[in-house]
Amino acid sequence: MKSTFALCALAAALSCPVAALAQPAAPLKGDVRARVDAMYPWLDGIYKDLHAHPELAFQEVRTAGKLAAEMRKLGFEVTEKVGRTGIVAVLRNGAGPTVLVRTDLDGLPMEEKTGLPYASRARAQSDGRETYVMHSCGHDVHMASWLGTARTLVELKQRWQGTLVFIGQPAEEITSGAKAMLDDGLFKRFPRPDHAFALHTWPLAHGTVGFEEGPVSSNSDGLDIVFKGRGGHGSAPDKTVDPVTIAARFVVDVQTVISREKDPKEFGVVTIGAINGGTVGNIIPDSVEVHGTIRSYSPQVREKLLDGVRRVANASAAMAGAPAPDVKLRAGGQAIVNNAALVRSTEAVFKDAFGDANAQRMPAMTASEDFSLFVNQGIPSMFFFTGVYDPKDVAEAQRPGGKPVAFNHSPFYAPVPEPSIKTAAVAMSLAVLGVVGR
């Protein structure tokens, strides 16, 4: 069922006709930039506050409350606690298209090491333990630019018609928030969008925008396997069935699914991120847990990888005469598939606003995103990327032997606030005006 649904959803996203798009937003680029420039001190304060006070998935109470309060000040009708900690803000401005703009709310369970004066020292409970929390994936930039877009569109109400549905989605980092909002009646309780947009920061030069038609993120599946054995003394392995060697064999052999079974032209990754088993060096344990992630773009490759993981896990155990392992494969985010017509029309707007060199097509990311669940409702959508680093640092990182810039999820991930937020707010404002402007 899941495979069939994914195929249908991908086909729908690619082929669903986009309603007649409004005139290009390019004539408004000067007005948009001027307004974003003028409001930046407000955005800077919000950004640094959000950065210093991140919250984990489905714990974003303070974050959601702050965004809800700001959106009410701008005149939006705001509903909180949609999908547990999500918010929905609606602004009606006459007859016209309905446009969804999403931001994500949550941070990650890790300690920040940027040394910034507004660095997070927040702590929270995660999986039964206390952890530091950090906005190491740019969601604070997303939220600030989301508010900047909302305020810009309010200030330009005389230049467009339609309905805005701005959503603050919880739990993107665990790819659960979009489903929670949909299950809570997102498109039944609130206007169903004709178009949807979302952006994500990326380690590009600030002032740049990246995008592509078709898939722009990966399918994500988690793997949790328990290899079973018979424990005993490390000096007498013949009296045991050693699950450590079974797990080790699996970790190595599963990579042959990638190198020998998958079409080499297609993207696919199986990564083992955790192996847990045993207590001390001279005891063979009864079981070993293996945890990992499976990534792909196409539904066909996804099914091949899932089948391969199951098959290799069972074969690894069978080779040792061990009981069959417990294999659990957890579906995560599905690939985001951008609507071709919407991308092409928005591309013209971006190139006019930022210049050809700063608005370019880019390869799909190998990470995953649950914005895809909104897209898969049959809504023509566009997910794009905005840069966050000094262009000189990015150029240095691209040279052989150059100093790399910190990637998303790094404890050193530190966007340059002003140009990053301004670029994101201008880009998203122009993207929305591209479909509702008059």
Side-chain angles (χ1 to χ4, degrees), residues 225-412:
I225 302 173
V226 178
F227 289 105
K228 305 171 186 177
R230 185 172 64 249
H233 202 291
S235 67
D238 58 307
K239 305 299 191 296
T240 74
V241 176
D242 189 349
V244 175
T245 58
I246 297 170
R249 179 182 296 117
F250 167 79
V251 171
V252 174
D253 288 353
V254 77
Q255 296 305 321
T256 63
V257 178
I258 302 296
S259 66
R260 289 297 177 267
E261 298 183 31
K262 178 189 65 63
D263 183 340
K265 297 187 297 296
E266 296 280 356
F267 168 71
V269 168
V270 177
T271 294
I272 305 303
I275 302 177
N276 302 315
T279 54
V280 295
N282 65 346
I283 299 175
I284 293 173
D286 285 323
S287 64
V288 171
E289 296 179 1
V290 173
H291 305 280
T293 186
I294 305 165
R295 304 297 173 114
S296 59
Y297 291 148
S298 80
Q300 295 85 356
V301 170
R302 176 175 180 262
E303 286 304 312
K304 183 177 286 294
L305 298 185
L306 294 176
D307 175 71
V309 167
R310 292 189 194 95
R311 180 164 35 83
V312 174
N314 281 289
S316 298
M319 289 175 66
D326 293 333
V327 180
K328 295 181 181 179
L329 302 179
R330 297 173 286 101
Q334 297 175 348
I336 301 170
V337 182
N338 276 348
N339 180 274
L342 186 58
V343 170
R344 290 169 191 163
S345 64
T346 307
E347 177 178 20
V349 172
F350 284 169
K351 284 186 175 295
D352 180 81
F354 300 103
D356 289 351
N358 294 323
Q360 294 190 357
R361 301 289 181 108
M362 62 178 281
M365 67 176 179
T366 55
S368 302
E369 248 276 4
D370 60 350
F371 180 69
S372 56
L373 293 186
F374 303 134
V375 180
N376 292 347
Q377 299 297 306
I379 298 167
S381 304
M382 181 176 177
F383 184 93
F384 60 92
F385 302 87
T386 58
V388 297
Y389 286 130
D390 188 309
K392 293 180 181 178
D393 293 337
V394 174
E396 166 66 17
Q398 293 171 344
R399 284 196 289 269
K403 180 182 178 182
V405 294
F407 202 79
N408 300 57
H409 290 215
S410 164
F412 300 99

